[in-house]
Amino acid sequence: MAEDLNIIQSTDKAAQYQSLIPQIEALLHGETDQTANLANMAAALKEQFKWFWVGFYLVKEGQLVLGPFQGPVACTRIGLGKGVCGAAWERKKTLVVPDVEAFPGHIACSSLSQSEIVVPLLHNGEVMGVLDVDSEMLDQFDETDALYLEELVKLIKF
C-alpha cells in the first residue's frame, strides 16, 4: 500500500495525471472500503492539483449526498438536475463549466468557486454519484481533465 504521493511539478496537465493515476491505483489496491477509497482519491487529486475543492456526492434516497471531500464545508444534499452536480447526474455525462456564474441554476456552496468539472460515477449504466471539482480560477478545467478524471472514477468499485 502506497501512503505517500510523488507530486510532480509540471505545466503539462496530462503528465501530472499520468504520474498520479498509477499512484491512486496503488492506494486503492486491495482496499474494499468505498469511503476510504473515495477519501484517498479526493486527497490525492487535491494534493497534486491544489484545486479549491475536490469531493464526491453519492446517490442516496433520490438525492446526491455529500461524501468524502477535501476543501471547505460544502452543500450536503443536491437534487436531480440541480446545479452542475445534479445536471451531470441527470445527463449521465461529464460537465466542464468554465464560469459557474454563467451556468443556469448553479448552486453556490462557496462564493470563491469560479469554475467546475463534475464527472458521474457510473455502474451498469446508472449514476451512483459524482466527482465534483471546483477551482477559484475561471476556465480551470478542459477536455484533458475530463478524459483523465473519467478514467480515474472507473477505478471506484460499487
Side-chain angles (χ1 to χ4, degrees):
M1 175 166 116
E3 293 177 342
D4 292 319
L5 291 177
N6 177 24
I7 302 300
I8 66 165
Q9 304 299 320
S10 173
T11 57
D12 181 352
K13 196 184 303 188
Q16 291 181 53
Y17 279 111
Q18 290 163 7
S19 171
L20 189 61
I21 288 172
Q23 295 182 77
I24 290 176
E25 287 176 321
L27 280 169
L28 304 185
H29 181 75
E31 179 53 64
T32 59
D33 186 86
Q34 185 183 63
T35 300
N37 287 333
L38 295 176
N40 269 334
M41 187 179 289
L45 287 166
K46 178 107 165 96
E47 284 294 310
Q48 176 62 58
F49 294 102
K50 308 294 185 220
W51 291 320
F52 177 67
W53 197 93
V54 181
F56 295 91
Y57 284 91
L58 302 173
V59 176
K60 295 181 180 183
E61 300 174 4
Q63 294 183 307
L64 288 172
V65 179
L66 182 63
F69 71 93
Q70 296 282 312
V73 296
C75 300
T76 305
R77 294 178 182 269
I78 300 172
L80 181 66
K82 305 295 183 190
V84 182
C85 290
W89 174 23
E90 183 175 54
R91 299 175 195 176
K92 297 183 180 183
K93 67 178 244 179
T94 299
L95 295 180
V96 176
V97 181
D99 179 356
V100 295
E101 294 300 323
F103 189 87
H106 173 253
I107 300 169
C109 295
S110 170
S111 62
L112 297 177
S113 177
Q114 298 293 308
S115 61
E116 186 170 3
I117 185 170
V118 179
V119 182
L121 311 175
L122 297 168
H123 178 69
N124 295 329
E126 292 299 315
V127 177
M128 307 303 288
V130 298
L131 167 62
D132 181 22
V133 183
D134 292 46
S135 173
E136 295 172 290
M137 298 187 306
L138 290 169
D139 204 23
Q140 178 71 50
F141 307 105
D142 57 24
E143 291 307 312
T144 299
D145 297 293
L147 174 77
Y148 286 105
L149 291 174
E150 287 170 356
E151 184 177 326
L152 272 171
V153 299
K154 290 177 185 173
L155 300 174
I156 299 166
K157 305 294 182 220
F158 289 95

